Amino acid sequence: MKISPEEVAKVARLSRLDLPQDKLELFAGQLGDILSYMDKLGELDTDAVEPMYSPVKHTTVLRKDEVRKDFTRDEVLSNAPEQDGQFFIVPRIV
């Protein structure tokens, strides 16, 4: 698939890019090569290929989301500048 310098100029204008004429021709050639490669990839039979979202395996480093009680109420409230034994006391905003 070929893309013309005029089409590149239109995309550049929509992207608010000011490209000189020589760059328009260069990018038209490069985009044409990319689109040709995509056409070639589209010819491949991928019915037996499992879809993936990434070519590399990702492992999560986050812990499992489990409910647990790490601190007692007294331990948490001991760090508060003001508390009433059950809740934090904060300045009134309204």
Side-chain angles (χ1 to χ4, degrees):
M1 179 177 189
K2 285 291 215 180
I3 185 166
S4 69
E6 291 79 23
E7 291 171 311
V8 174
K10 180 179 178 182
V11 172
R13 190 182 79 251
L14 292 171
S15 303
R16 298 179 189 254
L17 297 174
D18 185 23
L19 299 177
Q21 186 63 32
D22 61 325
K23 292 290 186 187
L24 292 176
E25 293 169 11
L26 172 70
F27 291 155
Q30 291 176 346
L31 288 171
D33 292 343
I34 292 169
L35 293 174
S36 295
Y37 187 69
M38 291 290 124
D39 286 340
K40 187 178 288 188
L41 289 176
E43 296 171 4
L44 295 174
D45 179 23
T46 58
D47 291 336
V49 178
E50 183 179 334
M52 61 181 164
Y53 67 93
S54 176
V56 295
K57 184 177 179 185
H58 295 277
T59 56
T60 182
V61 295
L62 302 176
R63 64 172 171 77
K64 294 223 185 266
D65 192 16
E66 301 169 341
V67 176
R68 63 181 192 210
K69 195 168 188 175
D70 290 334
F71 302 101
T72 65
R73 181 184 302 269
D74 292 333
E75 290 173 325
V76 173
L77 289 175
S78 69
N79 292 318
E82 252 189 283
Q83 47 101 0
D84 67 359
Q86 204 172 16
F87 301 106
F88 293 105
I89 306 293
V90 295
R92 186 177 201 138
I93 295 174
V94 180

